[in-house]
Amino acid sequence: MTWTTPTTSRRTLLTGGLALGAAAALPGCAYIRDDVPVAAPLPKSAKAKIDGDLVYFNWADYLDPKVLKGFQREYGVSIIESNFDSMEGMYANIAAGNQYDVVFPIAKWVVKMRREGKLRVIDHGQLKNADQVFYSGSYFNDPWYDPRSRVSVPFTVYKTGIGWRTDKVSGMTGSWEDLWNPQGARHIFTLDDQDEALGMAALRLGYDVNTAKASHLTEMKKLLVSQKRLLRAYSSDDVNNMNGGGAWIHHMWSGDFMYLRQGLVNKPQNYDFEAPREGTPINSDAYAIPTNAQHPGTAMLFIDYLLRPENAIRNINYLYYPFPVRDAVATFTELAKEVPACDIDVKDLENPDVFRLLSTKEVQARTAAWTEVKAS
Amino acid sequence: MARAKKLERKPLVAVVVTVLFFAWLYVPIFAVALFSFNDKKSLSAFSGFSTRWYVDFFHNEALLESLRASLLIALVSAVGSLVLGTMLAFGLERVRSRRGRVVGAITLLPLVTPEIVTGVAALLVFTGAGLKLGLDTVILAEITFSIAYVTVIVRGRLASFPLEVEEAARDLGCTPWQSLRLVTLPALVPALIASGLLVFALVFDDFVLAFFTTGVDPQPLPVRIYSSIRFGVSPAINAVGTLMLLVSALLIVAALMLPRLFKSRSSSLDLITGGERR
Amino acid sequence: MAAEAPHAPPGVQRRRSSQHTRMWGYLLALPTVWMVTFFISSMVIVVLLSFGTTTRDGFPVFGTNSGNFSALWDEVYLRLFVRSLLYALATVALSVLIAYPVAYAIALHGGRYKNALIAAIVVPFFASYLIRMYAWKALLSDDGLLNSGLRKAGLGDGISFLNTPWAVIGGLVYGFVVFMILPVYASLERMDTSLIEAGNDLYHSPLRTFFTVTLPATRAGLYGGMLLVFLPALGDFVSAQLLGGSSTFMIGNLIQQQFVEGQNWPLGSAMTVAMMAALTVLMVVYLRATSTKAREL
């Protein structure tokens, strides 16, 4: 490698300085154009009829492949699959103009995309199985994230609680305090997820899971830092952390726990799950059709197909997450009968502990707190 | 080899460390290869032989798309950085002005900049210029990052190439371009191939730059792997890893065979390691 | 890769025609423009944006606010920086201890297997860094292969290898040690081995020969390798994320978080600039020290 002579660095500095001066002359100049519309009118619903192959955009491995194959066979179309790894990634792809026919946003992202006019109305009258989720008295007739479910159809629901090894620790109290259980010292994991980790601390302190108040954040930060001497790591790979033996107490998602206990380990009786009494975040994912979808008709049929109880049941047995499809609810209750804490009742959905769409200022304040927790 | 015999007997410590090193190096790789043939989803207990994850992989359109995307990125980046890096190597080697030295220093900066910095900076410049993030932006960033490797390797070879040969060609009536094309470039072929292979391999497996500069689908393979391992990996990923290992092994073997093809004394591996300029 | 630029003999230069020089000058133009457009300008933008803010919707805007930097002047971040630095230095130290003997054994005693052995080292490094890291995670876990081996041998029971600083450093060494082996190997290869023989005759002690003859002769490769390992180790965020524990967050993780979850690019840029500034100071010190050493030879 050749090392630079002093002349270079002087010249580089000079160039940098000039550019700096130029920028100082334009303070406040927008760096990326900020032209996202808000409160856009809702684009009209499509008719449920085949209008092409289905471009499908979901988390990886998040529906039973057999169910997908069944749709292709029955309707004679193929499914072109793409995956996202985070809600930010999903949103960025759609915002960049990529065309998908069906997407699977988390509730708070439905709020954002509906507001920006990025989702089409889904006419319930077009769905033969609509009454499986929109029956009289159903929570989803008017969920918090999508008034009257105009642009979304519920997909799964899940809660966040604590999974633990009954052969390693005892004295679990049914409170978030259990993530501080000294018996699990150095074998406790907290989810590496800003909303979940901050939400857990907020619940333990009796605050709203979405709080961004400075005084609350300071307390939550202290609380989370106090957990560090007992904590093994922050990680979202909850299934493998438990399965690998490193985790005895894990802040985890109900569906992951079900998969671990019923689908993976040899001694399920050594694993248990609790939904702490201070409150547990219950969130939901939805099906939605982007405004720029090329085959919204096929997407309508696809959603309708997934609402069929037999398909919901197959997906439940594959994913281990509950589906709020009326005639499939019993299947999950049966699956979860040894761990009823993982089950989610319809009335559980009237739950204040959902992650809401926050302003940038609030997100930044929360990120700063979470960053300090992880950095210290 | 006679030279080696005259040395002291083999230093025991070094040999032991080397053996342990190879074991350490290959244990996780064998684990990856082994569990890619596991019939269950577990990554810790091998329960039986199966090729289902390879079948899964070859039916997973998203993973295949990523593989194709990464191959494309690596290929275009290798060609692009070869062209620019070779031009630069010539310029730097033949123009010994102050300006040449400044340019030389600038091109080597990416080598001494942590990749995360390069990645962040590339993200900012692309979004600032209003480019849509995607494979194009990944390729632009990778080329920028790889030029330095080509320049270093080609320049080394160029420095050891006697300028008199080129001069002689010109005395025989060649124009400067002809002497370059007919005399110098052929002598550089092993160095070009070696640096092309190196860039291809580096870019194909590069994660950090791709992570920051990727946008719309398809995602480069390492980025896709990263997103799946955050939430627990499917053994199909092990199948991918095993296949990648095979491909890179083939590439390296190809690099080793090069000197035989070109009847040159030194291996192109020496070019990569810098052993060429002895 | 780490070697001083070769110099043409002085006579050659004078004979070159001006037409010729112009041709090379043209060749230089395109790559120069490219590097300025995509590299230098990007660095300038990072610096500019580090003084910026975000709009109500989270979009970054240029500005003249130094708030991002003052936010970083905090005990938490300073400690984190020192931690990253220590991990990177430990990675370099371990890499030297591993790479030198390996390069030595292969270069001086590898015989006709030399190239094959080096290739065997290089191959794994091109097969997904991420997958290899994930494989380590499975191997090192409390019920993983390593622990079950130890348990069978009666050497321990469920040792927590994973999620510790040493796991992170181990991952970094595993990821980057090849960048130490190659330059050291190259400089050993290039060394005149008769020096070692002479040393052995003179000192009658292989150890003394090593420290007075071999080691100084390979300084250039060693110094280059140290840099090539140190830089990526300092900026890495994969090892800490996959193998790390609750207090192993590194500077790379910090920057990544601001760009992905945090919706705060200006703050992320400020972190990047701060890291580069500290790095530049370290590099200047390092280069001063090593070039003085090199001159003493």
Side-chain angles (χ1 to χ4, degrees):
Chain A
M1 234 168 279
T2 316
W3 288 110
T4 53
T5 48
T7 31
T8 333
S9 45
R10 236 180 283 143
R11 183 154 319 184
T12 323
L13 271 180
L14 194 67
T15 328
L18 279 176
L20 249 181
L26 324 154
C29 164
Y31 165 67
I32 298 177
R33 264 176 58 79
D34 166 12
D35 50 7
V36 177
V38 288
L42 298 179
K44 276 219 299 275
S45 172
K47 294 255 179 308
K49 62 165 205 296
I50 291 292
D51 50 7
D53 287 346
L54 184 80
V55 184
Y56 161 102
F57 196 36
N58 193 1
W59 301 91
D61 203 20
Y62 219 56
L63 279 183
D64 186 346
K66 283 196 204 84
V67 172
L68 296 181
K69 264 191 208 115
F71 180 76
Q72 305 185 53
R73 224 177 0 236
E74 184 172 332
Y75 289 95
V77 291
S78 39
I79 294 180
I80 299 150
E81 179 169 352
S82 272
N83 302 123
F84 50 77
D85 54 77
S86 67
M87 279 293 130
E88 287 81 2
M90 177 206 70
Y91 177 79
N93 265 297
I94 292 173
N98 272 17
Q99 294 164 332
Y100 305 102
D101 297 328
V102 61
V103 297
F104 299 71
I106 291 177
K108 76 172 176 182
W109 290 85
V110 175
V111 179
K112 186 174 170 70
M113 290 200 289
R114 172 174 166 153
R115 207 170 62 184
E116 294 169 1
K118 289 198 169 68
L119 298 180
R120 261 178 194 273
V121 168
I122 296 175
D123 176 7
H124 300 175
Q126 296 279 324
L127 307 175
K128 284 198 204 92
N129 301 294
D131 66 321
Q132 287 290 334
V133 281
F134 300 123
Y135 48 89
S136 131
S138 162
Y139 172 78
F140 292 102
N141 293 337
D142 191 25
W144 70 270
Y145 55 86
D146 181 14
R148 294 191 289 125
S149 276
R150 294 290 304 282
V151 299
S152 70
V153 173
F155 164 38
T156 62
V157 290
Y158 56 95
K159 64 171 117 175
T160 319
I162 302 174
W164 84 92
R165 293 272 298 268
T166 53
D167 57 333
K168 299 283 188 188
V169 290
S170 58
M172 297 294 278
T173 61
S175 153
W176 285 112
E177 234 172 279
D178 292 343
L179 285 173
W180 277 256
N181 184 346
Q183 283 185 31
R186 309 307 301 169
H187 291 278
I188 299 174
F189 282 73
T190 292
L191 285 172
D192 186 5
D193 181 301
Q194 186 169 312
D195 276 343
E196 295 289 4
L198 292 178
M200 176 269 280
L203 285 168
R204 200 186 151 189
L205 291 165
Y207 301 138
D208 180 82
V209 288
N210 298 297
T211 184
K213 240 190 185 171
S215 61
H216 290 178
L217 288 176
T218 311
E219 271 184 80
M220 286 151 62
K221 212 158 63 188
K222 267 203 201 116
L223 181 66
L224 288 172
V225 171
S226 79
Q227 190 198 17
K228 284 206 163 195
R229 68 195 162 80
L230 300 163
L231 198 67
R232 181 78 174 264
Y234 297 101
S235 168
S236 298
D237 192 0
D238 47 10
V239 172
N240 285 307
N241 293 329
M242 288 293 274
N243 196 32
W248 294 352
I249 301 178
H250 209 310
H251 179 212
M252 79 193 288
W253 287 297
S254 56
D256 284 1
F257 180 81
M258 287 291 295
Y259 170 60
L260 170 81
R261 187 180 192 278
Q262 310 303 122
L264 210 56
V265 296
N266 294 328
K267 291 184 187 158
Q269 67 277 15
N270 287 347
Y271 296 78
D272 205 356
F273 184 85
E274 66 184 16
R277 60 172 170 275
E278 294 94 337
T280 42
I282 296 185
N283 287 282
S284 44
D285 289 1
Y287 309 112
I289 303 177
T291 305
N292 66 354
Q294 293 295 288
H295 318 110
T298 309
M300 295 283 284
L301 282 174
F302 181 67
I303 292 171
D304 201 14
Y305 169 83
L306 291 177
L307 291 179
R308 289 183 200 167
E310 69 268 26
N311 289 331
I313 288 169
R314 276 201 205 113
N315 281 326
I316 287 172
N317 286 320
Y318 184 81
L319 276 184
Y320 296 90
Y321 275 95
F323 283 60
V325 170
R326 194 177 48 199
D327 295 340
V329 166
T331 307
F332 190 82
T333 307
E334 173 65 21
L335 192 69
K337 77 169 183 276
E338 287 169 37
V339 204
C342 281
D343 201 4
I344 295 169
D345 199 79
V346 182
K347 66 175 185 298
D348 292 344
L349 295 166
E350 313 275 349
N351 174 338
D353 304 323
V354 290
F355 297 122
R356 288 174 199 280
L357 188 68
L358 303 177
S359 74
T360 304
K361 272 236 146 47
E362 290 170 315
V363 172
Q364 285 178 356
R366 286 165 62 86
T367 307
W370 175 229
T371 305
E372 276 186 47
V373 169
K374 288 183 74 178
S376 62
Chain B
M1 300 314 118
R3 193 183 56 164
K5 274 190 197 130
K6 269 191 264 162
L7 290 176
E8 278 292 296
R9 69 196 148 78
K10 296 195 181 182
L12 196 61
V13 184
V15 173
V16 170
V17 172
T18 307
V19 170
L20 289 176
F21 169 75
F22 272 99
W24 178 61
L25 189 59
Y26 274 93
V27 161
I29 293 186
F30 281 126
V32 168
L34 180 69
F35 284 104
S36 72
F37 291 106
N38 198 0
D39 65 350
K40 276 239 185 79
K41 209 171 171 173
S42 170
L43 291 172
S44 40
F46 192 82
S47 41
F49 180 87
S50 144
T51 52
R52 62 182 276 211
W53 305 114
Y54 288 86
V55 176
D56 260 28
F57 168 61
F58 285 110
H59 283 100
N60 187 329
E61 199 42 51
L63 263 181
L64 289 172
E65 279 269 317
S66 291
L67 178 65
R68 278 193 286 268
S70 275
L71 288 172
L72 181 76
I73 292 170
L75 190 68
V76 177
S77 305
V79 172
S81 58
L82 260 184
V83 172
L84 291 168
T86 309
M87 288 169 80
L88 200 58
F90 269 100
L92 293 178
E93 192 54 32
R94 301 287 162 88
V95 184
R96 299 206 166 274
S97 66
R98 229 181 62 144
R99 205 181 44 190
R101 279 201 302 277
V102 173
V103 174
I106 291 177
T107 52
L108 291 172
L109 276 179
L111 286 182
V112 293
T113 310
E115 242 189 301
I116 190 165
V117 175
T118 321
V120 164
L123 169 69
L124 293 185
V125 80
F126 293 149
T127 49
L131 292 181
K132 191 164 149 185
L133 295 181
L135 294 191
D136 312 342
T137 47
V138 177
I139 290 173
L140 286 180
E142 296 285 5
I143 290 180
T144 311
F145 182 68
S146 316
I147 288 176
Y149 288 96
V150 178
T151 307
V152 168
I153 294 173
V154 174
R155 202 179 165 189
R157 175 73 188 150
L158 205 52
S160 67
F161 181 74
L163 204 61
E164 285 76 8
V165 180
E166 219 175 281
E167 309 257 320
R170 290 208 290 129
D171 289 345
L172 292 173
C174 287
T175 66
W177 283 111
Q178 279 173 329
S179 69
L180 178 70
R181 196 160 51 83
L182 299 173
V183 179
T184 320
L185 276 181
L188 286 179
V189 164
L192 293 177
I193 294 183
S195 48
L197 285 176
L198 178 72
V199 170
F200 185 91
L202 281 176
V203 171
F204 183 71
D205 188 36
D206 179 68
F207 164 63
V208 178
L209 265 188
F211 176 80
F212 281 103
T213 52
T214 188
V216 296
D217 285 330
Q219 302 298 327
L221 192 58
V223 176
R224 177 158 299 280
I225 293 172
Y226 175 74
S227 44
S228 61
I229 61 186
R230 280 183 75 188
F231 299 100
V233 64
S234 142
I237 296 290
N238 285 339
V240 179
T242 310
L243 292 174
M244 281 170 78
L245 189 74
L246 280 177
V247 171
S248 56
L250 285 177
L251 277 181
I252 302 283
V253 171
L256 276 173
M257 302 298 268
L258 272 184
R260 259 169 239 169
L261 289 178
F262 291 97
K263 301 192 177 65
S264 114
R265 278 173 300 109
S266 59
S267 146
S268 49
L269 206 63
D270 292 338
L271 288 170
I272 298 175
T273 61
E276 162 71 14
R277 258 167 285 144
R278 184 153 20 137
Chain C
M1 262 168 264
E4 52 299 317
H7 289 283
V12 176
Q13 217 158 336
R14 260 177 276 127
R15 272 191 278 137
R16 217 169 276 166
S17 69
S18 65
Q19 177 205 11
H20 214 152
T21 310
R22 230 186 358 254
M23 179 176 106
W24 303 129
Y26 291 139
L27 277 183
L28 218 46
L30 182 59
T32 310
V33 170
W34 180 287
M35 290 309 287
V36 169
T37 316
F38 291 113
F39 192 74
I40 304 298
S41 73
S42 70
M43 291 296 159
V44 173
I45 291 184
V46 178
V47 174
L48 293 182
L49 201 60
S50 67
F51 292 97
T53 50
T54 53
T55 64
R56 199 172 41 81
D57 290 313
F59 291 92
V61 233
F62 290 127
T64 52
N65 114 59
S66 57
N68 293 325
F69 288 100
S70 48
L72 290 182
W73 193 251
D74 184 285
E75 201 209 327
V76 173
Y77 295 115
L78 295 178
R79 250 204 332 243
L80 178 133
F81 185 74
V82 171
R83 177 195 302 151
S84 310
L85 206 60
L86 289 178
Y87 286 6
L89 289 175
T91 304
V92 170
L94 282 172
S95 297
V96 171
L97 290 179
I98 294 169
Y100 209 99
V102 172
Y104 189 90
I106 297 176
L108 301 182
H109 300 276
R112 62 202 190 86
Y113 299 112
K114 258 191 219 177
N115 276 343
L117 285 170
I118 286 291
I121 291 175
V122 175
V123 167
F125 284 93
F126 289 139
S128 186
Y129 174 56
L130 291 160
I131 294 179
R132 285 182 291 125
M133 284 302 202
Y134 197 80
W136 271 120
K137 188 176 165 168
L139 289 171
L140 291 179
S141 67
D142 290 18
D143 292 342
L145 214 59
L146 184 60
N147 263 314
S148 56
L150 288 176
R151 215 167 282 156
K152 270 185 200 131
L155 288 173
D157 185 37
I159 300 170
S160 302
F161 294 109
L162 211 56
N163 314 114
T164 59
W166 289 109
V168 178
I169 295 167
L172 293 173
V173 174
Y174 189 83
F176 305 122
V177 68
V178 69
F179 297 125
M180 182 76 80
I181 295 182
L182 293 183
V184 171
Y185 170 81
S187 56
L188 279 165
E189 264 267 87
R190 231 174 305 169
M191 198 180 103
D192 184 358
T193 40
S194 59
L195 285 176
I196 299 182
E197 290 155 41
N200 283 336
D201 291 345
L202 190 63
Y203 300 115
H204 298 289
S205 148
L207 211 61
R208 212 164 144 203
T209 309
F210 176 77
F211 282 107
T212 47
V213 179
T214 318
L215 195 58
T218 53
R219 248 184 208 154
L222 207 53
Y223 290 156
M226 285 174 162
L227 214 53
L228 290 179
V229 171
F230 179 76
L231 292 168
L234 189 67
D236 184 85
F237 59 88
V238 174
S239 187
Q241 190 177 357
L242 289 180
L243 309 175
S246 57
S247 299
T248 55
F249 213 57
M250 290 178 71
I251 192 160
N253 305 87
L254 194 66
I255 294 174
Q256 187 224 14
Q257 197 186 27
Q258 297 310 316
F259 278 91
V260 182
E261 286 175 306
Q263 296 184 22
N264 201 338
W265 290 16
L267 183 60
S269 302
M271 288 167 175
T272 312
V273 170
M275 173 184 172
M276 274 312 272
L279 207 56
T280 309
V281 173
L282 287 173
M283 295 259 282
V284 168
V285 172
Y286 178 80
L287 290 176
R288 282 264 162 84
T290 53
S291 65
T292 327
K293 279 262 180 67
R295 241 176 278 133
E296 280 168 8
L297 278 174

